[in-house]
Each structure stands twice: as C-alpha cells, then as structure tokens.
C-alpha cells in the first residue's frame, strides 16, 4: 500500500512520526541506545581502572560516575530521561574516568596544551568543573520541567543555575572534607597545583558551563521533552 492511500489532512512526516512512536519501535530503539550507552560506559570504566595513577585517587574521582550509573539504573523505568540528558551524562562520565585514571594534574593531552600555551598548570580539572555545570544543568532543567516545579522560563533558568552552583559548592566542600580527613593522600584528588584561587575558579567554570548549556541546548531539550511526552502517551 502506498503512502497516498493515507492521504487526508496528515502529512507524510506525521505518518512517519506516528509509526516511529509505536511502543514496539520505541522499545527497540531504547534497547539499542541502552546497549550502546552501557558498552561505552563500561569500556571507559574498565580502561580507567587498569593501572591508574593511584587507586585511592581513582576511587574518589570515579565515584560520581559509579554512583550516577546506579541512580540511572534505579530510576530508568519510572523516570527515563531524554536522549540529550543521557548523552551528556555519558560524556561527563568519560571526563571523570580520564581524570581518575591519570589524576587531573597529569592528563597527557592537557600537559601538551599547558606547554603549548605556556600555562603554569594542567587545566584538565577546569574541563571537569565546566562539565560539572554543563551536564547537571540539563538534568536539573528536565526534572524541574517534568515535575512542574516552576512556572516561567526566567525562574526556570535561575533555579537551574542556582542548583548547578550549589552542587559545585557542595563538591568543593566534599574535597575539603576529604583533604582534612586524609591529609597529604588527597593531594592528587584536590589537584590545586598551587593555585590559590582554585576553589573559586572551579565554581566559576561550573557556572559558565551551566549558562552555556542552557543557551545551547534549551530548544533541543524542549523538543526532546515533547517527544518523550508523546511516547509516554502512546505507551
């Protein structure tokens, strides 16, 4: 049967979208995405855990990614996220695994960048803190929108940025607590590299990441949230 047989007020795009959102197709697509996501995650985890800089630092640096995958597994059925959120989380996990493997002050690629630009320190940790705002911004935005916590885009953006900045501050307190308890053993975990404003700059990079994430992805995120709602209605 040709597509012409369906001719009424619906466009070809509408028909294709309808078929794409059938429970069977959605289930197959989600299973494939889950397989690819988990494959990349565990390959990154396995590589990271083989002969790292030291296992104490590795555990501290990788722990957010390890905890994150457990939370995603526990909430996947009752509160599945958008593809954008899952993709950003996976990228963040890879950043964490690289930092855990080498320690943030010893990542080889950023050593080259440091020497090329004549910097005084390895700034891979700033990439990590940038991601610490960039990725949670979409997660926080998704939860706030889907739970109808806030009305108005202005308030939404303010709350998302506030959550990301609070999360960054909480992580700095965690780093401080580890340093107090373990002493010199936490030096690689802290990764200050003698920079007196390291804590403040970490939080600034997280805030910058959150702002850019909202600017770049808000429209795409809205589209995926709408698609997710449509899938939930079909299912």
């Amino acid at each position: 049967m040709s597509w012409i047989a369906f001719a009424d007020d619906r466009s070809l795009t509408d028909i294709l979208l309808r078929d794409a959102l059938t429970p069977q197709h959605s289930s197959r697509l989600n299973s494939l995405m889950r397989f690819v996501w988990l494959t990349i995650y565990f390959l990154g985890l396995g590589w990271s855990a083989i002969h790292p800089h030291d296992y104490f630092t590795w555990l501290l640096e990788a722990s957010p990614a390890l905890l994150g995958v457990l939370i995603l597994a526990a909430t996947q059925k009752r509160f599945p996220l958008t593809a954008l959120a899952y993709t950003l989380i996976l990228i963040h996990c890879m950043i964490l695994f690289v930092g855990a493997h080498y320690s943030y002050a010893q990542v080889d690629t950023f050593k080259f960048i440091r020497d090329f630009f004549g910097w005084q320190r390895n700034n891979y940790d700033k990439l990590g803190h940038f991601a610490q705002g960039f990725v949670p911004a979409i997660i926080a935005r998704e939860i706030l929108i889907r739970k109808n916590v806030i009305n108005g885009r202005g308030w939404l953006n303010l709350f998302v940025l506030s959550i990301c900045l609070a999360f960054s501050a909480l992580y700095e307190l965690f780093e401080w607590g580890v340093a107090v308890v373990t002493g010199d053993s936490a030096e690689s975990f802290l990764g200050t590299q003698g920079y007196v404003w390291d804590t403040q700059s970490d939080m600034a990079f997280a805030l910058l990441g959150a702002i850019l994430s909202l600017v770049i992805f808000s429209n795409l995120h809205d589209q995926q949230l709408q698609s997710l709602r449509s899938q939930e209605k079909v299912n």
Side-chain angles (χ1 to χ4, degrees):
M1 181 182 296
S2 73
W3 289 108
I4 300 175
F6 291 96
D8 49 24
D9 292 333
R10 296 173 298 169
S11 67
L12 176 59
T13 301
D14 293 332
I15 297 170
L16 291 173
L17 181 58
R18 180 205 62 188
D19 292 343
L21 293 177
T22 60
Q24 296 82 359
H25 186 279
S26 177
S27 177
R28 289 195 299 269
L29 182 61
N30 289 338
S31 297
L32 176 60
M33 290 178 59
R34 189 180 304 115
F35 174 77
V36 172
W37 197 101
L38 289 172
T39 298
I40 296 173
Y41 176 91
F42 282 108
L43 285 175
L45 174 63
W47 167 84
S48 178
I50 298 174
H51 305 303
H53 180 266
D54 69 79
Y55 278 103
F56 177 69
T57 300
W58 181 87
L59 182 60
L60 291 173
E61 301 289 11
S63 58
L66 300 175
L67 179 61
V69 76
L70 294 178
I71 294 174
L72 292 180
T75 60
Q76 192 273 328
K77 289 188 179 296
R78 67 176 182 271
F79 197 81
L81 302 176
T82 57
L84 174 62
Y86 281 128
T87 300
L88 291 177
I89 291 170
L90 181 60
I91 293 172
H92 196 183
C93 288
M94 296 302 107
I95 293 173
L96 291 170
F97 288 151
V98 171
H101 181 81
Y102 291 108
S103 87
Y104 279 79
Q106 301 297 328
V107 175
D108 290 337
T109 302
F110 276 70
K111 283 183 181 179
F112 170 78
I113 295 174
R114 175 199 63 194
D115 296 339
F116 182 82
F117 288 103
W119 294 341
Q120 298 300 311
R121 67 192 304 278
N122 187 319
N123 283 311
Y124 185 78
D125 63 323
K126 302 310 174 193
L127 174 63
H129 284 280
F130 179 87
Q132 194 181 72
F134 196 85
V135 178
I138 295 301
I139 301 172
R141 187 177 190 274
E142 183 151 332
I143 294 172
L144 292 173
I145 291 176
R146 291 173 63 183
K147 293 296 184 180
N148 297 312
V149 177
I150 300 167
N151 292 322
R153 292 293 169 165
W155 285 109
L156 174 64
N157 291 335
L158 176 61
F159 270 73
V160 168
L161 295 178
S162 298
I163 290 170
C164 292
L165 195 54
F167 181 75
S168 178
L170 182 63
Y171 194 80
E172 295 299 327
L173 291 175
F174 171 68
E175 288 185 339
W176 171 60
V178 170
V180 170
V181 172
T182 63
D184 292 340
S185 299
E187 180 61 31
S188 294
F189 175 57
L190 291 175
T192 60
Q193 303 175 68
Y195 183 38
V196 67
W197 302 113
D198 184 69
T199 298
Q200 292 82 354
S201 63
D202 287 348
M203 294 172 64
F205 270 91
L207 178 60
L208 175 63
I211 293 172
L212 289 179
S213 184
L214 292 177
V215 171
I216 295 171
F217 288 128
S218 286
N219 288 338
L220 174 61
H221 194 217
D222 287 338
Q223 294 171 15
Q224 293 199 359
L225 286 171
Q226 182 59 44
S227 177
L228 189 62
R229 293 189 193 100
S230 300
Q231 290 182 33
E232 291 172 346
K233 290 179 181 178
V234 172
N235 294 332

